[in-house]
Every structure is written in C-alpha cells, then in structure tokens.
Amino acid sequence: MLFFAKTFKSNNFIIVLEQELKKNGWKELIYNKKKNLNYCSNDINSMIKNIDRSRNYFWSNKYYLYYLLKNKSYTLITYELINGNWLTKIPKEKDTIFFVKDAYKDADRGNILLKDIKSIENHSLKNKGLFVVQPNIDCLLYQKKKIDIRILGSLISKNHIDYDLCIYKKGLIRQCRKEYNTSDLQSSMHITTEAYHYNRNMVQNLFDDNFVYYDVMIKKIIDLCKDLMESTIHIFKNYSKYNNSIIWNIGFDFIFDKDFNIYLIEINHNPRYHKCLYKYFEFLAKNVYTSLAKNETIIYDKSIVIKI
C-alpha cells in the first residue's frame, strides 16, 4: 500500500539525527530535552511533530545540511547564532552583505539582509531562535542580474531501506528583478524569490539544454546530489520503523559563483508546483506512484529524470 510522507510521525527520528551529528563532531545539541525544546524558536515543537517533515526535516534545515554534507565546498560559509549568541565563531568578513536566515524555515521565509554584526545579533535576540548567517559571494550574473537554479526531485523508497533520488532534467532559472549591486540592501537585487512575490504571473525562465550554461551546471548539480545522498542516506536507513512505500517531493535551490562553483542554498520540503514543470509531475503520476502502488519496479525515463 502506498503512503506519502505526511502519513508518518517523527517519533525517534530527531534522536537518531542527534546521534549522527555527535559522531560528526557536533558538540552543541540544539534540542535540549530537559528544557522541553524551548531552547529553540517557538514553532520548533510543532515542526518536529509535523509528520510531513518527520524524516526529510534535516534536509530542509540549513544548519543540519552544513554539518552533514561531506564536501563542505558545496555549502556557503556559514555562521550560527541563537538568541543573539554565536555558537562557534563570529564573522570576520568586512564590507559585505550577510544573508541572515531562520534555520527552520525554507523558501525565503525569515530571510533578511544585514551589513553589520550588531544588527545580526539584535535580530536574532529579538526573534528568538537559531539563525544561520552567510556572507555574500561573488555570484554568477545573467543579464547583469543575480540568478539561482530550482530543480525538482523526489526521494523514493519501497521499504525505507533502499532509497532512490531522482531529479528532473529541467528546472527554473530564478532571476532578481533588478541589476546586481553589492552596495545595496534591496532584496530585489539579492533574493530571487522576491521577483515571484512581486509578480506571481511573471514568465518563468526554463533551465534546460537551451540555457547557455546548462551543460556545466547540470553536471555539478548531479555531483552535489550524489554527495548529499552519500552523506545523509544512512540516517534515513537508521530510522526504518515503517515499511510502506513513500515519496518526498522536494525542491533544490542552487547558486553558482563567477567561477561556476556550485553551492546548495537550501532544500524545500514543499516546493511550489510551477506549471512549466508539469512533465515531472506527469512522470511521477504515471511511473512512480503507480509502480509503488502495484509494488512494481520503477522505470526512470532518462529523457525526463536523472536517477542519482
């Protein structure tokens, strides 16, 4: 019988995750059970209990991703602070813009642009919770504007032991509304999703083999996704209480610097369904959902998806 991620409860998954983080040298546990989890943002309890996030939760948590990925070059330089206090070190970068992000929220929820350390500390103290702070990079520009790449994918398992990750060969090029300016804090120059919120009827640019940088970018995206699976899939396998088939549909957001180095911005556990990417959901409906429901082998159409 086929079940979706939202049919599951988290139970001991967070404990398993903490154990894995300890193995990797992470000393400070954010989840302080003696304080009933109040050490974190107010909505963390509901987020842990939210069954839709029960297992891919750490994928959508920017802080966990930084520590779990084996290849740290795939992540932006990251500093962490909670309730105004830095967990490891204070940023040393000068004359730059910092992206301050709520670690527990995906998309652009909770993101803010700041330029000085004191403002970052005050923001964290005022809003209570764990924040990741990432300095701006010398990003790749397209038509003089900042871009990132959204790729849809699915983590698929029949038994919670064997997992497949497939990604759609096409994606979206998300572009800022205004030309890039490193001295300006306007979100319209730095946060690509701002353009979507500004005009939800805007034309979406496809990321496919017609895009000038597609070949070099898709190769790096595949390599990064392989590292993600190798770094984290054992955590999924360690939590195999259920043996039903399951699918998580997720959205990967990538950014490139001017030398075409790739960085994983975040993973969205509930991505928006853009109409121009309908072929992927058609593939899921005809191939994945049907095959799992019938307990048949999934056939991954190489013209549509890439199996990692």
Side-chain angles (χ1 to χ4, degrees):
M1 188 173 182
L2 175 63
F3 286 83
F4 297 93
K6 62 181 65 175
T7 65
F8 292 94
K9 295 183 179 180
S10 59
N11 293 330
N12 296 323
F13 177 64
I14 296 299
I15 296 175
V16 173
L17 178 55
E18 289 180 348
Q19 292 170 347
E20 293 299 328
L21 289 170
K22 281 183 176 179
K23 288 179 185 177
N24 288 286
W26 188 40
K27 303 299 182 184
E28 305 218 21
L29 287 180
I30 297 305
Y31 299 100
N32 189 322
K33 296 177 179 58
K34 291 183 179 180
K35 294 186 179 181
N36 196 28
L37 302 179
N38 291 330
Y39 191 50
C40 289
S41 55
N42 294 331
D43 59 345
I44 187 62
N45 278 307
S46 61
M47 295 179 80
I48 290 176
K49 294 175 182 176
N50 185 308
I51 39 191
D52 184 46
R53 307 185 188 206
S54 61
R55 297 191 188 174
N56 68 343
Y57 177 71
F58 69 97
W59 270 17
S60 62
N61 185 302
K62 304 173 182 70
Y63 184 54
Y64 285 162
L65 272 180
Y66 176 73
Y67 279 94
L68 290 172
L69 274 174
K70 292 179 181 178
N71 189 340
K72 294 296 186 285
S73 68
Y74 287 144
T75 58
L76 297 162
I77 296 173
T78 301
Y79 304 94
E80 321 87 2
L81 76 165
I82 185 167
N83 299 341
N85 298 310
W86 299 94
L87 291 184
T88 52
K89 54 187 177 181
I90 301 175
K92 301 295 184 183
E93 289 81 1
K94 304 291 184 182
D95 301 320
T96 189
I97 294 172
F98 291 96
F99 292 80
V100 183
K101 308 173 182 179
D102 189 314
Y104 305 111
K105 296 179 181 178
D106 59 7
D108 55 359
R109 301 177 186 90
N111 291 0
I112 188 172
L113 301 173
L114 295 170
K115 273 194 170 183
D116 63 274
I117 302 303
K118 190 63 178 176
S119 296
I120 297 171
E121 293 171 346
N122 290 339
H123 177 75
S124 170
L125 188 61
K126 177 182 178 181
N127 291 277
K128 304 294 182 185
L130 176 65
F131 289 84
V132 294
V133 178
Q134 297 168 331
N136 194 30
I137 64 169
D138 196 358
C139 55
L140 177 70
L141 302 181
Y142 181 64
Q143 298 172 338
K144 297 183 180 181
K145 298 177 181 178
K146 186 176 180 180
I147 61 170
D148 63 26
I149 307 297
R150 158 63 62 86
I151 294 289
L152 294 176
S154 298
L155 189 65
I156 304 164
S157 177
K158 287 185 176 182
N159 51 22
H160 297 291
I161 297 174
D162 302 308
Y163 287 82
D164 293 335
L165 174 63
C166 69
I167 61 173
Y168 189 27
K169 293 181 76 171
K170 295 182 180 181
L172 294 175
I173 304 168
R174 305 187 305 182
Q175 189 175 38
C176 288
R177 286 192 300 122
K178 296 183 178 180
E179 292 186 2
Y180 189 62
N181 184 343
T182 56
S183 61
D184 200 313
L185 284 177
Q186 290 186 58
S187 59
S188 56
M189 298 179 182
H190 298 279
I191 300 177
T192 59
T193 50
E194 184 273 346
Y196 174 80
H197 295 308
Y198 180 80
N199 179 12
R200 299 205 171 195
N201 295 317
M202 66 179 293
V203 176
Q204 300 283 347
N205 297 314
L206 269 182
F207 175 70
D208 59 15
D209 52 14
N210 292 314
F211 181 54
V212 62
Y213 302 131
Y214 179 81
D215 289 341
V216 63
M217 284 183 169
I218 195 66
K219 182 180 183 304
K220 290 179 180 286
I221 287 171
I222 293 170
D223 289 343
L224 191 154
C225 288
K226 287 180 179 178
D227 183 85
L228 176 68
M229 287 291 282
E230 292 172 0
S231 301
T232 62
I233 200 61
H234 62 286
I235 299 179
F236 287 101
K237 293 181 179 180
N238 283 349
Y239 182 58
S240 54
K241 180 178 178 180
Y242 300 95
N243 56 7
N244 309 94
S245 300
I246 194 165
I247 302 171
W248 290 282
N249 294 327
I250 45 187
F252 297 92
D253 293 340
F254 306 100
I255 194 169
F256 290 80
D257 66 19
K258 66 176 184 178
D259 297 318
F260 288 95
N261 295 309
I262 186 174
Y263 302 94
L264 177 59
I265 303 175
E266 65 178 356
I267 298 175
N268 295 274
H269 72 280
N270 187 23
R272 294 188 182 96
Y273 300 129
H274 300 274
K275 292 181 180 179
C276 57
L277 302 180
Y278 74 94
K279 279 286 186 183
Y280 181 67
F281 302 103
E282 186 178 80
F283 159 77
L284 290 178
K286 290 183 177 179
N287 296 69
V288 179
Y289 295 121
T290 302
S291 298
L292 287 176
K294 294 180 178 180
N295 198 27
E296 297 175 346
T297 301
I298 300 170
I299 298 175
Y300 293 96
D301 188 337
K302 293 183 179 179
S303 66
I304 298 176
V305 299
I306 299 168
K307 181 182 175 184
I308 301 301

